[in-house]
């Protein structure tokens, strides 16, 4: 296994996924839930993210080519989805635990597009394209698993912060997380538009 490639993939994906930055959003979405449901949401989100990244690593180019979808379109779609979630956080519609289903929260938006977002998917596809043998593929696979385990550990033990913040703190954190999520969504859409414009100018 190529340890240098392992380190490169691990650091790149860890920076993109950003577990510390993911924590306030995770707590905002799952804070009102019981600890058991919150822990279940953590591993479900990580499991889904791992599955999505592996699928795109193995067959990403084929899937996008078959659907005639460019990467910027995938990025814009992720941004639009995050805007909907951000609006719920900002308006308080995500505060009522009786209206939330843990599996839904874990799948969307936690699993995708937050953890397995366009950035992580594109980075993984690029690393796979560069791979030149079994050792490289092993390094990439090991790095992806290591990143997901790290994310799970951060999310799994974030419950202690909920006890410190109490309901009032969680409400404030929810509004801040909604604002940050909206900013991430706008940036994703802006990057997608810039990529489309560049692509159009290149074709002319």
């Amino acid at each position: 296994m190529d340890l240098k490639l392992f380190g490169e993939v691990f650091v790149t994906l860890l920076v993109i996924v950003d577990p510390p930055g993911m924590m306030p959003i995770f707590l905002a979405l799952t804070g009102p839930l019981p600890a058991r449901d919150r822990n279940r949401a953590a591993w479900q989100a990580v499991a889904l993210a791992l599955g999505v990244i592996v699928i795109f690593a193995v067959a990403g180019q084929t899937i996008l080519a078959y659907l005639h979808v460019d990467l910027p379109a995938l990025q814009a779609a992720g941004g639009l989805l995050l805007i909907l979630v951000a609006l719920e956080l900002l308006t308080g519609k995500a505060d009522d635990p009786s209206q939330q289903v843990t599996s839904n929260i874990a799948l969307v938006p936690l699993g995708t597009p937050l953890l397995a977002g366009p950035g992580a998917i594109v980075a993984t596809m690029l690393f796979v394209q560069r791979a030149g043998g079994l050792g490289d593929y092993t390094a990439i696979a090991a790095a992806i698993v290591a990143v997901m385990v790290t994310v799970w550990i951060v999310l799994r033990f974030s419950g202690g912060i909920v006890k410190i913040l109490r309901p009032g703190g969680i409400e404030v954190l929810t509004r801040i997380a909604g604002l940050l999520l909206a900013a991430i969504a706008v940036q994703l859409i802006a990057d997608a538009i810039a990529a489309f414009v560049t692509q159009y100018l290149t074709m002319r």
Side-chain angles (χ1 to χ4, degrees), residues 1 5-10 13 138-148:
M1 186 174 73
L5 179 60
F6 170 85
E8 188 178 350
V9 177
F10 178 81
L13 290 182
T138 304
I140 293 171
I144 292 171
V145 172
V147 168
M148 289 299 127

Side-chain angles (χ1 to χ4, degrees), residues 106-128:
L107 301 181
V108 178
L110 289 177
T112 182
L114 285 176
L115 292 179
I121 289 172
V122 172
T124 304
M125 288 170 62
L126 292 176
F127 279 121
V128 170

Side-chain angles (χ1 to χ4, degrees), residues 30-45:
T30 63
L33 299 176
R36 181 180 175 183
D37 289 342
R38 188 167 55 249
N39 294 338
R40 186 172 63 183
W43 75 257
Q44 284 179 339

Side-chain angles (χ1 to χ4, degrees), residues 9 47 52 79-80 130-131 169 183 195:
V9 177
V52 169
L80 290 173
R130 282 173 42 192

Side-chain angles (χ1 to χ4, degrees), residues 1 21 58 80 88 91-92 126 128 137 143 147 153-154 188 191 197:
M1 186 174 73
V58 174
L80 290 173
E88 285 191 358
T91 57
L126 292 176
V128 170
Y137 290 122
V147 168
I153 291 173
V154 171
L188 280 174
D191 290 344
V197 171

